[in-house]
Amino acid sequence: MGRKGARGKVPAWLVVVAFTQLALTLWFVRSIGAGPSAKQEEARPREVVEVVETTPAVTVAKEKPSSVAPLNDTTLDQFILFPKTKEIHESKVTPEFDQPVPQGEAVFFSIVIAAYNQGGLLQETVDSILKQTFRDWELVIVDDGSTDNTWDVSNQIVERNADRRIKILRKENGGLSDARNYGMRFAKGNWLCMLDSDDLLGKEYLSKAASLALQGADIVVGCMENFDAVSSVWCFPEGYSIVGLSHWNKFHASVLMSSRLVKSIGGYDQSLLWGLEDWNFWLSASRHRPRVMHLPEITFYYRHHHGSSMRKEMFRVALDESKAMVRTNHPDLFEPYQLLLDHDAIGAMRPESLDRLEKKTLKFPGLARPHFWKGLYYKHQQNYEGAIMELQTACKLLEGGGLPEEQVDWQPYYHLALTYEKIGNYAAAAGAIDKAFARGYFDEILACKYRLQRLLEGEGVESQGNAKVTSLPSYWDPVKVNRNPEVDKINQGTLAGRMRHLEDLRRRQDDVAGALSDAKSILRHAHELKCGDDSKRTRTNFVLNAHFEEGEGQSWLAFEKGFRVERAASHPEGVDGNSLVLENTGDGEKSGANQVVQLHQSEAAPILVSAWSRPEGVSGGEDDGYSLYVDITYSDGTNEWGFILRFNPSDRVWQRRHALLNRSRPIAQLNVYCMLRGHKGRAYFDDVVVAPFRKFGCACLPGEMYSPSHTRSCVPCPKNKVCSFGYPLAD
């Protein structure tokens, strides 16, 4: 498989997320460049700088933990929304830090470094701050319970730089978000920068950002250079948009932001398990419609460490559930359809994530989301008693936690209602769904409310809901039994209804556009076809052993764990025959079979690529990992990685996927993979096809579609399709 082809792609359902944000304002930027140039390498602020001490080093001596009075809410700014860990054990400041912030300065930066076991790199990070050409800044270092020499290095930094505004704090370990929140409580500047303890600032960053801050920016972002284990440059040429942000985080970690914006957001959420704190933070920022300005030069250096830690590995394997948790933090930004998919992903979380979640609820008992996520897990495990307890706790914490009203959302109430319904407590379920109904209005909530009303009325119990749903809701069904025009009008007028309807129309438009493109290509080449009786006897499908009837996988090579061939019911027609079988026992495994198919085209012409597959207990959602995956080699020697036909793991029947491969250059060969990667379970593959149009265009009679098996070559054209030259062109 090609190198680029091995990279995962964005699942198609995420398009729904981006589409729903079109009414919101601006952001997102992205571009990946080559490695650092010599000039960039020279600019990298990595050399150690000696600072001459002209004043006494410190005015506050290191104190023993037992002699430090615990900090409480009366001693701290109140803008941080989230709870904090226990008291700070030790603190120290330079004389300058205790002085008032200089008056008359339009821009003053507070830089917060959250450090955990980074004693070997912390000094280099601080040096990049000391080298700033802009001098109006302060530094707050938070040692988040390190077990190495981070605290000793922090003390040395204070002692060597008494002429700068530096404060250091040592606290028990609470995670990156908690350490950042603690540091922000002591920040006095009107601008903030979160700097990780192993990264570096470009020496002109603050100076150039200050000029943009004076122009009314809320966020200033520059280009990022990756260094150490990875060498590349990442810039933001496209500007800011909530569409891009809802898809994925595009900001680097040390974006400069106004303290006014940060106070509006309320800090970093400590709920998240494996990272993504920054993405969650910027999604919260999007509610305040920040004005974003871009510096088109390298301002920040992000260190990639060699090797891999257990936490990094878990971040990789648990990425889908981590992203799902972030999205459920923002029910005002994501469509219910997307969030319901996320609930399924969280409910099926890995044991390592559940263990981390348990620790979160113990360390931060006031956070609502961990209880909600645990409730989803218990509901998925059919532990309904545990689910009800956790979901009730989440509801109470959300209601009393000081969150904005839009974040006291429908999600926990909806699942609480479903859980009560499962155990037959319909009255309690109706009470919960009414609370969900007051905060969310879409098909699934309306359907649940409708079911519960019918159940309660059947028992002679009067429903106490806010309003009755008098017909089973369905946004798009053009033919309804006992349709109520007034209720249908209301349903179709909801935001969720309009967005889902528009997305359905957009998909249909894409399908029509693709069909038109295929039709034009086929018609363009059709006049060259000379079909005779002998054309049906020539080799049409260029895949060898395409139906796996010739020995044990003859002509196919093993990919990763490989494959086996066994007898299986083949296709919906019920024809018995051999099938290729791929099987993984864990989500981290890869199985597959591949074959290089020689085409040697002298000129570009369309190629049919298709296959059948049936999943059996395949985990996860539809993505590139469960697919027919094709790498292309052109006649000029160049490559294209990843022409992909995806299969749906949740559809338990045989599925056919086909596409017309249209390229402007002749193709020499295709490397075809039957792929099961990143999913556990078993997948059957059969009847893999690579057929040039000049071959399969004559293989079938009018009104037939080319779909070869080991018993036939063509089948009748599917209902509601128009087939021409063996290809289904359009509805």
Side-chain angles (χ1 to χ4, degrees):
M1 185 185 309
R3 179 180 60 83
K4 294 184 180 178
R7 296 176 61 182
K9 294 191 177 179
V10 179
W13 47 260
L14 274 178
V15 177
V16 179
V17 179
F19 194 85
T20 63
Q21 310 305 323
L22 293 178
L24 303 174
T25 46
L26 339 118
W27 127 257
F28 163 78
V29 258
R30 166 181 174 261
S31 123
I32 298 179
S37 67
K39 183 176 180 181
Q40 293 163 351
E41 185 69 28
E42 182 181 348
R44 181 178 298 159
R46 299 184 60 187
E47 61 271 22
V48 176
V49 175
E50 293 294 334
V51 179
V52 179
E53 298 180 1
T54 58
T55 59
V58 293
T59 57
V60 179
K62 185 186 294 186
E63 299 168 333
K64 297 179 180 178
S66 59
S67 65
V68 178
L71 293 167
N72 54 53
D73 290 340
T74 62
T75 65
L76 301 173
D77 292 338
Q78 295 301 299
F79 73 85
I80 300 297
L81 180 66
F82 300 98
K84 60 183 184 299
T85 50
K86 297 178 181 179
E87 74 273 5
I88 292 171
H89 299 315
E90 298 179 72
S91 65
K92 185 180 290 189
V93 298
T94 60
E96 284 293 316
F97 194 89
D98 283 335
Q99 300 300 313
V101 172
Q103 297 300 312
E105 297 294 342
V107 179
F108 191 89
F109 292 101
S110 293
I111 302 168
V112 176
I113 295 178
Y116 177 71
N117 287 349
Q118 291 289 357
L121 297 171
L122 180 59
Q123 181 66 62
E124 184 181 3
T125 297
V126 173
D127 286 343
S128 75
I129 302 170
L130 296 172
K131 293 174 61 177
Q132 292 298 305
T133 56
F134 187 85
R135 303 295 288 172
D136 293 319
W137 54 261
E138 66 180 13
L139 173 61
V140 179
I141 301 174
V142 183
D143 180 355
D144 190 35
S146 298
T147 57
D148 68 351
N149 65 335
T150 296
W151 181 245
D152 294 333
V153 174
S154 301
N155 274 274
Q156 293 168 12
I157 289 168
V158 168
E159 292 165 0
R160 293 172 182 170
N161 299 283
D163 60 329
R164 303 305 304 170
R165 299 176 59 89
I166 300 175
K167 183 180 185 69
I168 60 174
L169 307 166
R170 189 181 193 185
K171 56 180 281 297
E172 72 172 32
N173 181 257
L176 178 61
S177 292
D178 185 59
R180 286 177 174 177
N181 287 349
Y182 245 124
M184 286 192 295
R185 290 174 183 269
F186 297 92
K188 301 173 184 176
N190 53 9
W191 276 74
L192 284 165
C193 175
M194 301 295 116
L195 179 60
D196 288 348
S197 53
D198 54 350
D199 297 332
L200 310 172
L201 295 183
K203 65 181 180 180
E204 297 289 334
Y205 194 6
L206 300 186
S207 177
K208 295 188 176 182
S211 64
L212 296 184
L214 291 172
Q215 298 176 38
D218 296 301
I219 295 172
V220 176
V221 59
C223 299
M224 175 180 74
E225 179 177 337
N226 298 294
F227 71 101
D228 267 11
V230 174
S231 180
S232 63
V233 174
W234 186 13
C235 288
F236 305 84
E238 299 175 22
Y240 173 94
S241 78
I242 186 60
V243 176
L245 182 61
S246 63
H247 170 70
W248 188 232
N249 183 27
K250 304 300 178 181
F251 282 149
H252 61 63
S254 293
V255 173
L256 295 169
M257 50 200 168
S258 69
S259 59
R260 178 200 60 79
L261 175 65
V262 176
K263 290 184 178 183
S264 299
I265 297 167
Y268 289 81
D269 189 349
Q270 302 110 314
S271 301
L272 303 173
L273 306 184
W274 303 108
L276 304 185
E277 299 92 349
D278 291 308
W279 186 35
N280 186 78
F281 183 84
W282 296 119
L283 285 171
S284 297
S286 68
R287 299 187 183 98
H288 306 280
R289 301 187 178 186
R291 186 179 184 190
V292 180
M293 293 189 180
H294 172 236
L295 284 169
E297 58 187 82
I298 295 173
T299 59
F300 170 69
Y301 298 85
Y302 182 77
R303 189 189 304 270
H304 289 261
H305 295 273
H306 294 272
S308 178
S309 65
M310 183 180 298
R311 189 174 187 274
K312 283 185 177 180
E313 178 63 17
M314 274 308 302
F315 175 78
R316 186 187 67 79
V317 300
L319 181 59
D320 286 344
E321 65 192 48
S322 297
K323 291 168 73 173
M325 290 175 180
V326 170
R327 285 189 289 263
T328 60
N329 270 345
H330 304 278
D332 53 325
L333 298 181
F334 294 94
E335 272 293 291
Y337 175 73
Q338 171 65 66
L339 295 174
L340 291 171
L341 294 175
D342 291 332
H343 298 163
D344 292 339
I346 295 169
M349 74 177 72
R350 293 163 175 75
E352 297 90 342
S353 296
L354 179 64
D355 179 65
R356 206 172 186 88
L357 197 55
E358 295 281 5
K359 294 175 182 177
K360 289 284 185 181
T361 56
L362 294 174
K363 187 177 288 290
F364 303 106
L367 292 174
R369 295 297 175 188
H371 291 285
F372 170 53
W373 298 332
K374 283 174 63 179
L376 294 177
Y377 174 81
Y378 288 139
K379 178 171 170 280
H380 181 78
Q381 297 292 318
Q382 300 183 15
N383 178 358
Y384 299 129
E385 182 179 352
I388 289 171
M389 181 181 70
E390 295 293 346
L391 293 169
Q392 284 179 334
T393 301
C395 292
K396 290 177 182 177
L397 290 172
L398 283 171
E399 291 170 1
L403 287 172
E405 176 60 29
E406 65 267 20
Q407 293 186 61
V408 184
D409 66 287
W410 56 270
Q411 298 176 97
Y413 296 108
Y414 172 69
H415 286 279
L416 186 59
L418 294 182
T419 309
Y420 275 131
E421 184 183 11
K422 280 285 187 181
I423 65 174
N425 189 344
Y426 302 132
I433 202 63
D434 283 340
K435 291 186 176 181
F437 183 75
R439 295 171 169 87
Y441 192 73
F442 53 91
D443 251 1
E444 288 78 5
I445 285 181
L446 294 171
C448 180
K449 187 171 174 60
Y450 176 78
R451 289 196 311 270
L452 291 169
Q453 285 174 182
R454 296 289 299 271
L455 289 166
L456 289 171
E457 288 166 359
E459 296 175 357
V461 179
E462 181 66 27
S463 174
Q464 301 299 314
N466 301 325
K468 279 197 171 186
V469 179
T470 56
S471 69
L472 183 63
S474 179
Y475 288 126
W476 326 129
D477 188 1
V479 181
K480 297 179 181 178
V481 180
N482 300 322
R483 67 181 287 146
N484 183 325
E486 191 61 31
V487 173
D488 294 342
K489 182 179 179 181
I490 293 172
N491 290 347
Q492 295 180 34
T494 63
L495 175 62
R498 290 196 301 269
M499 289 297 99
R500 199 181 299 178
H501 187 44
L502 288 171
E503 176 60 20
D504 182 61
L505 289 175
R506 190 200 64 77
R507 283 196 300 265
R508 293 176 66 84
Q509 288 174 340
D510 288 346
D511 290 344
V512 170
L516 287 174
S517 176
D518 290 345
K520 289 178 181 178
S521 180
I522 285 178
L523 292 173
R524 189 165 59 249
H525 292 86
H527 71 280
E528 301 176 3
L529 287 180
K530 296 180 180 179
C531 299
D533 292 338
D534 59 336
S535 63
K536 293 182 172 56
R537 292 192 291 270
T538 62
R539 180 188 170 203
T540 306
N541 184 6
F542 280 31
V543 177
L544 301 176
N545 194 14
H547 317 300
F548 307 102
E549 301 299 324
E550 303 171 16
E552 293 297 316
Q554 180 179 321
S555 303
W556 291 88
L557 300 176
F559 169 72
E560 296 288 343
K561 285 184 62 182
F563 64 91
R564 67 178 187 271
V565 174
E566 65 180 40
R567 201 78 173 168
S570 180
H571 302 293
E573 291 91 346
V575 179
D576 289 337
N578 289 341
S579 293
L580 180 80
V581 183
L582 308 180
E583 188 165 13
N584 294 332
T585 58
D587 288 333
E589 295 180 355
K590 305 173 185 178
S591 298
N594 81 288
Q595 181 179 146
V596 177
V597 180
Q598 302 293 339
L599 296 174
H600 300 300
Q601 289 184 326
S602 58
E603 59 183 45
I607 300 167
L608 173 66
V609 179
S610 74
W612 287 83
S613 185
R614 178 173 66 86
E616 189 174 284
V618 175
S619 65
E622 186 172 337
D623 58 28
D624 298 351
Y626 176 29
S627 64
L628 187 74
Y629 192 110
V630 181
D631 287 335
I632 305 169
T633 300
Y634 293 101
S635 298
D636 61 9
T638 60
N639 295 290
E640 177 186 334
W641 314 118
F643 178 79
I644 299 167
L645 304 181
R646 298 186 181 114
F647 295 95
N648 185 357
S650 63
D651 194 348
R652 307 303 184 188
V653 299
W654 281 99
Q655 310 162 39
R656 181 178 185 258
R657 297 290 184 266
H658 69 275
L660 204 62
L661 181 55
N662 272 311
R663 293 297 184 266
S664 59
R665 292 178 290 166
I667 295 174
Q669 64 181 34
L670 302 179
N671 198 353
V672 179
Y673 294 81
C674 297
M675 176 76 68
L676 187 64
R677 176 179 63 179
H679 298 263
K680 66 181 178 181
R682 182 183 298 117
Y684 295 87
F685 284 80
D686 213 336
D687 299 346
V688 183
V689 175
V690 172
F693 172 66
R694 291 173 181 172
K695 296 292 184 180
F696 80 83
C698 294
C700 301
L701 298 173
E704 291 184 334
M705 179 179 71
Y706 182 64
S707 181
S709 72
H710 67 286
T711 60
R712 47 100 178 111
S713 294
C714 303
V715 295
C717 189
K719 187 179 180 181
N720 299 325
K721 292 281 186 180
V722 174
C723 292
S724 181
F725 299 102
Y727 190 79
L729 291 175
D731 293 339

